[in-house]
Amino acid sequence: MAQAKKGDRVKINFTGKLEDGTVFDTTLEDECGCDDCGCEEGPMEFTLGEEEFFAQVEDALVGMAPGEKKAVTVPAADAFGEHDEGAVFSVDCDQIPGDLKPEVDQELELTGEDDESFVVTVVEVTDEQVTFDANHPLAGEDLKYEIELLEIL
């Protein structure tokens, strides 16, 4: 039976989970259970070795045959990095546009002094300040993937 190697185009199903078992991404519709979450829609296709997925997942697929399954962990440092407290900052409420009513867990796109935009999550709102976190939502998390090689294309 054929085994996947670097340079092969493959089709896989996967489920990505946090250490507590929370699913954050999947190609399996019945595993997701969330509405409009951004999960993949159906099997994913990519070329092994072109860094289209995390290196640990691509490396695990090398040598697998269609129908095989594996579990792979991607450490936080290799995924979205460690959580950086320096990326958490507060802004006085009088600096927030009057038509914006920030709420905890809301994602917003802010524009910096250099006119570059970046996404932040509102983590705290008080009468005086709004605290934002510019870390990726999965920063600091080890990611656990269950992968299944469906086809070598």
Side-chain angles (χ1 to χ4, degrees):
M1 184 174 276
Q3 293 181 319
K5 61 189 180 308
K6 288 195 178 193
D8 284 345
R9 187 140 186 94
V10 296
K11 183 185 286 189
I12 68 167
N13 269 328
F14 71 84
T15 298
K17 296 180 180 180
L18 303 179
E19 292 206 358
D20 67 3
T22 302
V23 174
F24 64 85
D25 197 6
T26 185
T27 58
L28 303 171
E29 193 174 310
D30 61 334
E31 295 239 349
C32 180
C34 51
D35 296 320
D36 194 29
C37 62
C39 288
E40 300 291 325
E41 292 184 20
M44 181 177 179
E45 292 183 19
F46 60 95
T47 302
L48 288 176
E50 291 192 0
E51 300 177 3
E52 295 178 54
F53 211 145
F54 294 112
Q56 290 85 345
V57 173
E58 289 198 25
D59 291 346
L61 287 162
V62 172
M64 287 177 65
E68 279 190 76
K69 296 179 180 183
K70 279 189 183 176
V72 180
T73 298
V74 179
D78 295 334
F80 297 100
E82 298 298 337
H83 189 268
D84 177 10
E85 283 301 319
V88 178
F89 60 96
S90 297
V91 175
D92 290 338
C93 288
D94 62 1
Q95 300 297 311
I96 305 288
D99 60 339
L100 180 63
K101 303 295 181 216
E103 296 178 16
V104 172
D105 292 330
Q106 182 179 23
E107 287 188 2
L108 300 171
E109 188 171 330
L110 301 182
T111 304
E113 293 176 8
D114 57 2
D115 286 335
E116 279 197 41
S117 61
F118 56 100
V119 176
V120 297
T121 302
V122 178
V123 293
E124 184 179 22
V125 178
T126 68
D127 290 339
E128 293 84 31
Q129 293 185 322
V130 178
T131 303
F132 299 101
D133 186 345
N135 285 287
H136 186 282
L138 296 176
E141 299 280 357
D142 292 336
L143 310 180
K144 300 193 177 297
Y145 282 93
E146 295 166 4
I147 57 174
E148 178 182 12
L149 179 59
L150 299 174
E151 279 184 78
I152 301 171
L153 304 170

